[in-house]
Amino acid sequence: FCQMLLNGGELHGQRLLSPTTVNYMRLNQLPDGRDMAAMGQPVWSETSYDGIGFGLGFAVVIDPPKASLITSSGEHHWGGAASTFFWIDPAEDLFVVFLTQLMPSSTYPIRRELRARVYQAIVESAQRGIETFKKHGLDQAWGDLHAQDYRVNERSNAEILKALDTVGDVQY
């Protein structure tokens, strides 16, 4: 699902949604471009709704500094009651699916911690990587690399897990 949305509606060569539909889903649909904080009180999340809009099916980051998040504008996400979470960041060519059972989700800001650790592990943005490959005439090599399942390298995964182990006395 996340890879399909990241690919603009296509997965394994099959078009499931049009790019226009996916882009529309990612737009803030709240009246007058407001954020969720302007619409009411956050009651289910460990974070505020400042700088977060809502698209069709998920929250959309409309102002990362206002949201106090290390992320890209346009990143979209959804979290579950037991602190489960996914986010998709088209600007970084990145998606993360986080499955856990921490209840209630307001117990500890584990999703915010995970997001911060992942973005801190990114050395070069995907867009700069694409530009570098194209600059050196390696468009096909980038296409081959992108066609593979995109995952944070094993060292980064280990660093993220180690960092999560150090966040405190949290059961997960």
Side-chain angles (χ1 to χ4, degrees):
F1 176 74
C2 291
Q3 186 66 63
M4 181 270 299
L5 290 175
L6 188 62
N7 293 346
E10 186 175 310
L11 184 64
H12 305 301
Q14 298 293 312
R15 170 81 36 211
L16 301 169
L17 296 171
S18 75
T20 302
T21 299
V22 173
N23 288 335
Y24 190 70
M25 292 171 67
R26 293 174 177 162
L27 293 175
N28 182 17
Q29 303 292 325
L30 296 179
D32 303 318
R34 292 187 287 182
D35 61 16
M36 290 197 303
M39 303 298 291
Q41 293 292 334
V43 292
W44 295 289
S45 179
E46 73 273 11
T47 62
S48 79
Y49 290 147
D50 292 316
I52 307 293
F54 206 83
L56 299 178
F58 29 69
V60 178
V61 177
I62 55 178
D63 188 342
K66 187 175 178 184
S68 299
L69 293 173
I70 300 174
T71 191
S72 305
S73 184
E75 176 253 278
H76 39 293
H77 59 269
W78 186 258
S83 302
T84 59
F85 186 52
F86 80 84
W87 84 86
I88 304 167
D89 186 340
E92 294 292 347
D93 193 31
L94 168 77
F95 73 85
V96 172
V97 177
F98 182 58
L99 302 174
T100 186
Q101 292 295 300
L102 178 62
M103 298 258 319
S105 62
S106 59
T107 303
Y108 187 83
I110 195 164
R111 294 181 274 208
R112 181 176 288 270
E113 291 282 334
L114 175 64
R115 183 185 276 147
R117 304 283 186 203
V118 168
Y119 282 99
Q120 289 168 350
I122 295 173
V123 176
E124 181 174 331
S125 81
Q127 187 58 45
R128 286 192 307 267
I130 293 167
E131 291 166 5
T132 300
F133 271 75
K134 287 182 178 181
K135 178 180 168 184
H136 295 288
L138 301 172
D139 294 20
Q140 182 59 46
W142 176 260
D144 292 344
L145 177 66
H146 186 67
Q148 299 173 15
D149 289 341
Y150 182 82
R151 292 182 176 85
V152 176
N153 67 45
E154 288 182 30
R155 180 171 173 244
S156 293
N157 275 335
E159 290 171 359
I160 290 166
L161 291 173
K162 183 178 177 185
L164 286 172
D165 283 340
T166 65
V167 295
D169 296 328
V170 177
Q171 299 295 316
Y172 47 80

